[in-house]
Amino acid sequence: MCAFDMPLRFLKGVGERRAEQLSRLGVFYVGDLLHFFPRSYEDWSVIVPIQDAPYGQPCCVKGTALAAPTENRIRKGLSLYKFTVSDGISTMKVILFNNKYAAAKVKTGQEYLFFGQVGGDFTHREMSSPLIEPASDGQCIRPIYRQTEGINTRFIENCMAKALELLDKELDDDPLPAKIRQQYELCTRRFAIENIHFPTDSGALAISRKRLVFEELLILQIGLLKLKSRSRSSNSAVIEDDFTSDFLNLLPFKLTAAQSRTMAECIRDMQGERPMNRLVQGDVGSGKTAVAAGVAFSAVKNGFQAALMAPTEILAEQHARSLTALLEPSGVKVGLLTGSMMVAEKRRILEALSAGEINLIIGTHALLSEGVTFNRLGLVITDEQHRFGVSQRATLAAKGLNPHLLVMSATPIPRTLALIFYGDLDISILDELPPGRTPVETYAIGSDKRERAFNYIKKHIAEGRQAYIVCPLVENGEETDLASATEYFDKLAEGSFKGYKLGLLHGRMKPSEKDQIMKAFIHNEISILISTTVIEVGVDVPNAVLMVIENAERFGLAQLHQLRGRVGRGKHRSTCILISDAQNQEAKRRLKVLCSTNDGFRIADEDLKLRGPGDFFGSRQHGLPALKIADLTEDMQLLRLAQDAARQVLQEDPDMKHPDYIALSGEVQKLFENVGEQGLN
């Protein structure tokens, strides 16, 4: 067995119980441990004189204990241990809380290193609960790892040292060829792994991180390029004629320039040598569905079938209604397939689809079922792409022979981030809204003004309008300060909105229950819908004009923008009210951004700056691998270099069979082993 693949329980000092605890961190094998990178570092290598120690910032101070710690009992179960240290010029008081073990190790006259934050004032310095090491142990940069119950960072540090010792020879096997390392000025794998965990100095840490970030992004980009080339073997659904002008005659409105440009890009792809593989990314209300309808219309008029997959039955039904009304007068037969349909109706749809009698089928995940067959599938469209993984769209595409693929997302993300999450797709951006779309007015208020907001809701309900109230949790857990949707519903039903028609919607409800509630809301049988974020991707309810979001600081900016997009979809003026008592400056800044603009792309850029890429999407939602060390807010230059290198590798050796690339190819396969049934080959 290769030492990389050795289960952690066999590593010295780990055992069954610790291995189980480490598995909660996603670490199962010795190889996993080496790629479990520190989340931060404690720099013990820079010693700061006591008098120069910065207030409120982690630093390392060296001092001699002038006396052994004295114990002060504050109350039963709580003791303070205090002692004074000196660096020969200044003194500092050290305070330990309930740490008899650490206090017992401190001896009078011995010199120690203290790592922590210095407090006090200009008359005296003090450090509370610092980490303490004998000065003789030397000065170094120490790794800090993510922890879990029963496992602290020092234990992981010790395990890491043993793993490096065990894998000593394996570290010389470098997946990056020497010529790539030389071209991009990268260190060896051995140097990178050793110094990312135990850096000799800050320079070695920077060199190691550059190498590991580059390697991670290179492997990801090669995999995405291979995915793209896999789906572009040859175009077996060539669109001979462009029917866009005929489609435009069906529309009761004029397309925006962005819609026309995007539709032309799609048609050009479908007329080319390889199948279309395109993402249409646009803000809420930018008209993605009209683009999809136009592209599907041309595909159908050229003799092919098209499939549109939506994330919910409600959304699928909405698309089916609108597209049936638009397209069937021109001879395009539209069908609907969902999981809740009666067996007989489902059988009728499947037979008509297989016989080619249905030109455009709209459905949910039911379209992925084994029994769904097409007569001549030429175009696959997925709506709200971030709800579907790479493997799901690959499964639907496999029902045709290299069909064209169009994916739509109403979640604006910066183009730089799209290069990662949608790296296997070409990208079109709908960057303008159709005329007549009314911007949603947005306000941030404290909870002390909640009742005023509720009175505002009542005023609009009296005029026949509807409202959403969104909460971040379904039921109370440890975070009892947060409004729970279920308890909040009961509270409002008996309090502020007693006698009003209320509905409750949350993610733990059965799909049929959710659909029933949403249908009631659509038909104005519910005036106020109290919901979690399940309405983030939803249907058009033009009569809903108010969106109130509780604990707004708990949401990402992009998510708040999506929620806000549920209103402002009709002719009435709409308002979004963000309720938050957060005093955190970053939270206030985020809410201020949302109040100042309705531009989803500007909001996405701000979200990326404020919170980093992790809050846009979980990688598991996409079916794409997680990034372990790269940070897209810092590493965009390395991303561009890695993309250049990936293209260079695949141009030189598309199958990566050359001995220089075999190890690198293995890393790509390992990273993408769960992407689609066909893998990357």
Side-chain angles (χ1 to χ4, degrees), residues 305-313 316 319 335-341 346 349-350 353-354 358-374 377 379-383 388 391-400:
Q305 289 173 297
L308 192 163
M309 185 163 68
T312 65
E313 290 200 4
H319 284 320
L336 174 67
L337 183 67
T338 65
S340 66
M341 292 173 69
K346 192 178 292 186
I349 292 292
L350 291 175
L353 188 63
S354 182
I358 291 177
N359 307 120
L360 170 60
I361 185 73
I362 298 162
T364 56
H365 290 76
L367 290 173
L368 303 174
S369 304
E370 258 183 55
V372 179
T373 58
F374 292 82
L377 179 61
L379 171 65
V380 169
I381 304 168
T382 62
D383 192 12
F388 298 114
S391 59
Q392 288 173 307
R393 70 183 191 231
T395 300
L396 185 53
K399 293 180 179 291

Side-chain angles (χ1 to χ4, degrees), residues 223-237 269 273-278 378 390 393-395 397-398 400-406 423-426 678-681:
L224 291 172
L225 287 172
K226 285 171 81 71
L227 274 175
K228 184 181 285 191
S229 64
R230 180 187 74 185
S231 63
R232 293 185 167 193
S233 51
S234 64
N235 186 358
S236 56
D269 285 352
E273 295 179 0
R274 299 180 182 278
M276 173 174 67
N277 207 30
R278 185 168 290 276
V390 174
R393 70 183 191 231
T395 300
L401 185 61
N402 292 329
H404 300 290
L405 180 63
L406 177 65
D424 59 324
L425 303 172
D426 296 316
Q678 307 168 60
L680 289 171
N681 296 317

